[in-house]
Amino acid sequence: MTLEPVIGLEVHVQLKTDSKLFCRCSTAFGAEPNSQICPICSGHPGVLPVLNRKAVELLVKAGLGVGCEIATHSIFARKQYFYPDLPKAYQISQSDLPLARNGKLTITTADGKLKDIRINRIHLEEDAGKLLHAIGARELDYSLVDLNRSSIPLAECVSEPDLNSPEEAYTYLTTLKSIFQYLDISDCDMEKGSLRCDANVSLRPVGHKQLGTRAEIKNLNSFKAVKESILYEIKRQTEVLNTQGRVIQETRLWDDQKGVTVSMRSKEESHDYRYFPEPDLIPIQLTKEYLADVRTSLPELPDKKKVRFVTDYKLTEYDASVLIAERPLANYFELAVKAGGVALAKPICNWITNELLGILNSCTRSISQSPVSPEHLAELVALIQKRTITGKAAKEVFVEMFETLQSPSKIVDARGLKTVGDTATIEKWCEEAIAEMPKAVEEYKGGKERAIGSIVGLVMKKSQGKANPQLVNQILQKILSR
Ligand code: ADP
Ligand code: MG
Ligand code: ZN
């Protein structure tokens, strides 16, 4: 019996608001523990939450970005459980009537095909606090509670179980992240915890419709962990099915060090939470005008941008997909093209993807931190195109631009890197080279056309790389045909 993996992801992203979901406390990351709390977010009795308008707007954007229907009437619900990082003993979340539902995300699978992953819902909820069990490397024999994170707004995006491999799950996650970053609704930084993911994994015989029993994996703190834990879980469940015959429904924790999932608790059912409508908050009512306004404020999303890059700039699908992967990168490219002209789009793209991204990667900087401005990059590409400098000299100039932030023309002038274009000088070098390489000349005249390459090489050497190689070639051919 061949088994097929079935995966559904629950993704939490922290929405980019200045204040928390139901109070005015700051959401800034990294502050002194418990310095950003008040009676509301620390769960005192008798206080009243007031909804943050911005959080609703960001959630609506998230929903529209992945094609969801947005509810014009939506309510909050209490999700009840006890844990020391949750002082109210309930989380304000949404259950029935979430803000967004029935969306889809299109991913490109390994064989290049497009696949739609249905999104069940995106709802708004508050985060819990954080427990500290160690200070730096020192393990504590007690735990500390930090409520700075308590009540920070989260969007929870729940996929349908439409993913069928660890790679598809990974692609889904990176595609979702890219869209949310384009929408500027979240940093989506897994390291800082602003994007978190739980993976639900089950197996079923190929061809069957009915879902198998799933395990939910928590504690995934990198994209790599998502992929590896699912792979591990598929292997584990395959073995269980082949030996004991039955997977138990449970929540499992991913151990990044050991590369295994371990059982944490039997999976709770949603009725265990005793969801009920939050009595302290009125329903969210959104007007058609409001939704239309948010819709018009949406930026161009990656898919559309890709198509436009291919048609407007004559780029390949591959080039376009590299450039659109991050919005700041796509912006950088378009600024450079604006400065250099559409005719230079392809060489500009090449310089960005090869040289610029290469050097940025090697010093772990992002495109937003590039010391080379888009205008300077365009200028450099134009200098090559006009044959003012050779491609080889351009690479040197580029490294200096990166280090000194100077314009390429300045560097070219200061270092005397301009190609020698005057025919007389080049002719002199050609005559010299011909005299010095009688064997190559003889071979060339005897019909071996490639032999001219070594003579061109010598001329280039004499010019210290500054001669225009095309011109050298022409002049040599002219002299040798005499
Ligand atoms: P909860 O985890 O709160 O019980 P749901 O039942 O809504 O919530 O499911 C959560 C996630 O688990 C969804 O992404 C869904 O696609 C996925 N899922 C549900 N059943 C299965 C299954 N049998 N195998 C794999 N994923 C599943
Ligand atoms: Mg769940
Ligand atoms: Zn507060």
Side-chain angles (χ1 to χ4, degrees):
M1 181 169 66
T2 350
L3 297 167
E4 160 189 63
V6 175
I7 303 150
L9 296 184
E10 291 164 275
V11 179
H12 287 90
V13 297
Q14 182 179 326
L15 296 170
K16 249 191 199 178
T17 57
D18 293 332
S19 58
K20 294 185 178 179
L21 189 51
F22 302 117
C23 63
R24 298 165 72 161
C25 295
S26 165
T27 57
F29 181 78
E32 189 74 7
N34 297 311
S35 63
Q36 296 172 165
I37 61 172
C38 72
I40 297 174
C41 57
S42 49
H44 291 209
V47 295
L48 284 175
V50 176
L51 180 58
N52 182 332
R53 171 189 291 264
K54 180 82 182 174
V56 174
E57 182 192 325
L58 296 182
L59 196 130
V60 169
K61 283 187 174 175
L64 292 174
V66 291
C68 285
E69 298 154 15
I70 307 297
T72 48
H73 176 89
S74 170
I75 60 168
F76 285 103
R78 290 188 181 180
K79 178 178 179 179
Q80 316 191 71
Y81 64 92
F82 175 78
Y83 206 66
D85 64 7
L86 188 75
K88 298 197 293 295
Y90 61 84
Q91 176 192 25
I92 303 180
S93 178
Q94 297 194 282
S95 171
D96 302 331
L97 306 180
L99 264 169
R101 55 190 328 161
N102 298 332
K104 73 165 192 252
L105 188 73
T106 308
I107 61 167
T108 310
T109 58
D111 53 6
K113 291 209 183 80
L114 296 180
K115 178 172 174 182
D116 284 345
I117 309 301
R118 290 168 302 153
I119 288 172
N120 176 285
R121 59 196 276 140
I122 306 180
H123 68 248
L124 189 56
E125 65 181 28
E126 59 177 344
D127 207 347
K130 202 167 132 185
L131 297 182
L132 276 108
H133 311 288
I135 296 180
R138 185 164 61 92
E139 289 284 330
L140 302 172
D141 48 16
Y142 50 85
S143 293
L144 295 167
V145 184
D146 176 7
L147 294 178
N148 280 354
R149 212 176 65 181
S150 169
S151 218
I152 282 182
L154 300 176
E156 177 172 349
C157 177
V158 182
S159 85
E160 292 293 346
D162 290 346
L163 299 156
N164 298 108
S165 70
E167 292 72 27
E168 284 185 12
Y170 183 88
T171 310
Y172 169 86
L173 207 53
T174 49
T175 311
L176 191 68
K177 175 180 164 173
S178 155
I179 291 177
F180 285 173
Q181 282 181 330
Y182 262 75
L183 293 167
D184 203 24
I185 62 158
S186 173
D187 291 330
C188 294
D189 187 340
M190 266 189 136
E191 259 100 67
K192 285 190 193 159
S194 62
L195 186 152
R196 283 169 259 159
C197 175
D198 301 334
N200 294 271
V201 183
S202 67
L203 296 175
R204 71 177 164 199
V206 172
H208 281 214
K209 271 256 170 313
Q210 204 189 343
L211 295 171
T213 309
R214 70 176 145 143
E216 177 171 355
I217 319 170
K218 290 196 178 283
N219 200 31
L220 302 171
N221 44 26
S222 70
F223 284 75
K224 202 169 128 250
V226 172
K227 206 164 161 178
E228 285 177 358
S229 65
I230 294 174
L231 192 63
Y232 175 88
E233 195 53 29
I234 292 171
K235 281 204 193 111
R236 185 189 71 84
Q237 290 184 19
T238 307
E239 226 170 273
V240 169
L241 286 176
N242 287 338
T243 53
Q244 293 133 301
R246 221 168 67 84
V247 172
I248 33 177
Q249 177 155 332
E250 59 182 351
T251 301
R252 299 180 69 88
L253 273 189
W254 171 244
D255 184 330
D256 217 22
Q257 243 80 60
K258 296 195 185 110
V260 298
T261 63
V262 285
S263 179
M264 181 166 88
R265 56 168 188 249
S266 72
K267 169 94 182 105
E268 66 290 326
E269 299 286 344
S270 84
H271 61 247
D272 295 336
Y273 291 120
R274 293 285 166 104
Y275 279 101
F276 75 83
E278 166 62 61
D280 289 342
L281 285 160
I282 54 169
I284 309 171
Q285 307 271 9
L286 303 177
T287 62
K288 289 228 162 59
E289 293 73 34
Y290 173 84
L291 290 178
D293 280 352
V294 178
R295 202 182 282 275
T296 43
S297 77
L298 296 185
E300 181 183 39
L301 291 177
D303 270 356
K304 269 225 173 108
K305 205 185 275 292
K306 185 171 157 191
V307 173
R308 188 167 60 79
F309 277 16
V310 170
T311 41
D312 287 8
Y313 304 125
K314 310 278 174 282
L315 299 180
T316 62
E317 289 264 332
Y318 176 78
D319 281 340
S321 61
V322 173
L323 291 176
I324 58 112
E326 284 177 56
R327 191 171 163 195
L329 182 61
N331 287 348
Y332 186 100
F333 167 75
E334 289 213 279
L335 284 173
V337 172
K338 206 169 149 209
V342 177
L344 294 187
K346 176 64 185 166
I348 284 174
C349 164
N350 290 346
W351 270 85
I352 291 176
T353 53
N354 299 326
E355 309 301 325
L356 185 59
L357 290 185
I359 196 165
L360 284 170
N361 258 338
S362 69
C363 54
T364 56
R365 291 202 206 183
S366 71
I367 188 76
S368 324
Q369 300 162 317
S370 167
V372 175
S373 71
E375 293 76 19
H376 280 174
L377 189 82
E379 192 181 330
L380 180 70
V381 173
L383 288 174
I384 309 165
Q385 220 66 11
K386 282 187 279 183
R387 304 199 196 291
T388 310
I389 53 173
T390 61
K392 191 159 159 269
K395 292 199 178 165
E396 277 176 50
V397 175
F398 177 72
V399 172
E400 200 165 323
M401 285 163 72
F402 200 86
E403 283 161 4
T404 65
L405 278 76
Q406 281 189 334
S407 83
S409 316
K410 261 222 176 99
I411 297 169
V412 168
D413 284 343
R415 298 190 30 183
L417 287 169
K418 261 203 187 109
T419 46
V420 176
D422 84 282
T423 330
T425 317
I426 295 178
E427 262 172 13
K428 193 182 111 247
W429 287 326
C430 287
E431 298 284 5
E432 284 174 23
I434 286 170
E436 285 165 38
M437 300 186 85
K439 199 158 161 267
V441 171
E442 199 178 310
E443 282 174 4
Y444 177 77
K445 287 191 167 163
K448 194 175 160 200
E449 285 192 10
R450 272 193 307 145
I452 202 169
S454 54
I455 315 177
V456 172
L458 184 57
V459 176
M460 291 305 292
K461 205 167 147 200
K462 285 175 183 293
S463 78
Q464 292 171 311
K466 285 188 278 180
N468 175 337
Q470 275 85 10
L471 200 57
V472 171
N473 215 305
Q474 278 170 22
I475 293 176
L476 274 177
Q477 283 184 22
K478 204 174 74 195
I479 300 176
L480 291 169
S481 65
R482 281 212 287 264

